[in-house]
Amino acid sequence: SSELTQDPAVSVALGQTVRITCQGDSLRSYYASWYQQKPGQAPVLVIYGKNNRPSGIPDRFSGSSSGNTASLTITGAQAEDEADYYCNSRDSSGNHLGWVFGGGTKLTVL
Amino acid sequence: EVQLVESGGGLVKPGGSLRLSCAASGFTFSSYSMNWVRQAPGKGLEWVSSISSSSSYIYYADSVKGRFTISRDNAKNSLYLQMNSLRAEDTAVYYCAREELIVVVPAAPSPSYYYYYMDVWGKGTTVTVSS
């Protein structure tokens, strides 16, 4: 099966811009989606597809992709954005169509 | 309100079995593929299994293949995960998640492309495998 690689931890000053990246072969075939998870809570979808936000997600969240890399950008990070962020995509590398998650990036807002 | 509620978690001995359930409400359950995703303590998310809307397509992560069985009952708006031969490494919070697929059809001659994502998640149920 495929793997998605994320930096374990990233920090950003309050109000500044941060980019979280996700790399993997599956991203050449499928778009990534991004999930925010705060301690003790279920994941929440923040970005899907080329750059789409579900209803209720602030427009400071955006997504992009190129080749085998997908990125989540937070423009003007807020204290409430401190969380773990996971990317995922479909994975057709084996003999089935599954899913693969990145290892997650812990975002600290300073 | 669109909602998924998991149940059935608990403490089980290694080698034991457990059946998780996920009750769906607020949407047409029979129209969506569904997934189980788990998260071991202090670890990241791991996809476990998926099932298509009519149960025609079922997939498993290698880590659970042959031990876990996913199923659904569209009449009861419910998703299940039968877990057998449980191991300590199966200890995790188990989430059910709705899968969405959007087909984007751009202007010709560009080909269609797909957006896959998990847009609705339950709060999870905890499974602990320990003697």
Side-chain angles (χ1 to χ4, degrees), chain A residues 35 37 42 48 90 96-97, chain B residues 35 39 59 99 117-118 122:
Chain A
Y35 306 85
Q37 187 181 37
Y48 66 93
R90 297 310 304 254
H96 67 269
L97 183 61
Chain B
N35 291 269
Q39 186 170 35
Y59 305 109
E99 179 177 313
Y117 52 97
M118 299 180 186

Side-chain angles (χ1 to χ4, degrees), chain A residues 1 30-31 33 35 37 41-43 45 48-50 52 86 88 90 95-103, chain B residues 35 37 39 43-47 50 59-60 62 65 95 99 102 113-119 121-123:
Chain A
S1 61
Y30 301 99
Y31 284 100
S33 47
Y35 306 85
Q37 187 181 37
Q41 298 183 18
L45 176 71
Y48 66 93
K50 279 189 177 180
N52 301 89
Y86 296 90
N88 86 339
R90 297 310 304 254
N95 60 356
H96 67 269
L97 183 61
W99 290 84
V100 59
F101 281 91
Chain B
N35 291 269
V37 176
Q39 186 170 35
K43 303 296 185 182
L45 300 172
E46 179 190 14
W47 170 75
S50 64
Y59 305 109
Y60 298 99
D62 289 342
K65 200 173 298 182
Y95 298 99
E99 179 177 313
I102 294 177
Y113 51 92
Y114 306 92
Y115 294 163
Y116 290 96
Y117 52 97
M118 299 180 186
D119 64 339
W121 295 67
K123 295 187 186 307

